[in-house]
Amino acid sequence: MFWRLEYFFLCFAVLGLFAAPISCAEKRSGIVYTRDQLMALRPPSFVVGEKPQIPKEVRRKQRGTKAGVKQRMKRQRFKPCVPAVITGNVRSLANKMDELEALTRTQREYREASIMCFTETWLHGLIPDSNVTIAGFTTVRADRDTTAAGKKKGGGLAVFVSNRWCSPEHIHVKERVCSPDVELIAIGLRPYYLPREFTNVIAITVYIPPTGKADSACDVIHSVTADLQTKHPGAFILITGKSDHNLVLLSPSYTPVVQQQPVTVRTVMKWSDGAMDCLRDALETTNWSALCEPHGEDLDGLTDCVSDYIKFCTENSVPTKKVRCYPNNKPWVTSDLKALLNKKKRAFTAGDPAELRSVQKELKRSLKESKDAYRKKLEERLERNQTRDVWSGMRTITGFQKKGIRSADGNVDQANELNQFFNRLWDWVEQSRNAEQFPAGRSDRERLTGDEADDVAEQTGDEQQRSWGQAEKSGPVSRKQKLDEALVDMIVKDGQPFSIIEDEGFQNFIKILDPSYSIPSRKTVKAMVEARYTVAKEKALAESRN
């Protein structure tokens, strides 16, 4: 038994000596497989670039209605209602471009800003546009004109418009001003999205140098803004300027009109030839005598009965439909125009430029025709003296809403207290002014000017006659009364019109002659002349009787 075990181990050792060189050789050479051989070992379950075929029973279901919101928001274009603006005084823009690029890449406020307006850029013709360009923004420069501004360096304006908010093709410079008092640039923008109540956006950037005159600068800004408002009445105009070397973010908080007011549903009648024939048959087959006889001579009751019956026949004969009216709809927008607007949206979404251009031309023509038709409609209503319909259309155009106007908080007592408080201040100012103009000792009648003099002129004829008739008996007459009597004598004897007291030359003559004299109003002079006529008439009648 023992020799058998020794024989087994000896055979195993011999076999190991012969097999060792073979395994080492194979290990040194190695086994090499190609890529196709490895891929052929086990075919993949799906090919890259193709949609895998997943059975319905193992397909993952959506988790509620909000699944995929983040992905959809990433795909959607940034659409603020009104532009978000970043403005500031940078004092040399060229050496701050690296910082601005870093801010637009890392901070959401800068990346989603619609417009960035900077003053004092200190740019000139030797600095190319490539040095002041930010990825994703269009640069509009307004370098200082050294000849017009009278300065060799400094100043300058720059506006960066986000390409996500507005296409570079829809950016136009409307106005540019460079003077010693102000530097201004106005840019017209037509963004991808804008509320319907606005036609376009006009961004005005202003810089007033420290040595500039504020009054002249304000006049220039006002004239430019007024001109742009006249040319573009429906534009959203924003004005930015200096911000003391700090970047300021102006976040939009505007709510579109379509969200401010609820949608109203109106019921309108669909008039057609069949509806007219049906209504005509209903009125022709009516026994009018049966409706009129019960009322007899009661015209009001007869009118109400006939009106209600006609309304009843109209409601039963003419079909109706409900129309949703949005608060931002213009009165000249028709159903055909809405169809063209939807067609334009579809062409823009599909990315077909040829179709979009053709639809835009057709939309422009239809819009002009709709406005002309609405204008003619208003003119016809004016010619027919339908003022109610005209004012209704004007309220619709201007957006006037009579109902739903909220009154100020408070009560009548609070309003009276405020009135008394402000009147107390005004009375103190008037007393101080009168004390300076009229020294002590003058009568109250000398201080009557303007409306108070008109109130005195409202006296009755008897009071005027008594005041004029007793002038000699009442003692010494004041200088004011003597001048008033002389003025009346001039008008009566020379036949002068009452308008002479309103002539500028006559008023200047009186001021030079007597600066303290207050010329009575035209109404007061007329009352004085009438009183003088009454006194003279009674005097003449009394003398004739004697």
Side-chain angles (χ1 to χ4, degrees), residues 17-87:
L17 291 175
F18 285 100
I22 298 175
S23 61
C24 293
E26 292 180 355
K27 186 175 181 180
R28 285 194 301 268
S29 61
I31 300 174
V32 180
Y33 294 95
T34 62
R35 180 178 181 277
D36 296 335
Q37 291 175 344
L38 291 174
M39 296 294 292
L41 294 176
R42 184 178 181 181
S45 58
F46 63 93
V47 181
V48 178
E50 296 183 2
K51 187 176 180 180
Q53 299 294 331
I54 302 176
K56 293 183 178 180
E57 57 272 11
V58 297
R59 186 177 298 173
R60 185 177 181 182
K61 298 181 180 180
Q62 294 184 356
R63 296 174 299 174
T65 58
K66 293 185 178 180
V69 172
K70 292 184 179 180
Q71 297 297 329
R72 289 198 301 269
M73 292 299 294
K74 290 181 180 179
R75 291 193 298 267
Q76 290 178 355
R77 193 180 299 276
F78 178 61
K79 299 193 307 182
C81 294
V82 293
V85 183
I86 292 178
T87 179

Side-chain angles (χ1 to χ4, degrees), residues 272-286 313 317:
S272 60
D273 296 337
M276 293 292 293
D277 296 338
C278 182
L279 180 61
R280 189 180 297 109
D281 294 341
L283 296 178
E284 288 177 355
T285 57
T286 301
C313 293
S317 303

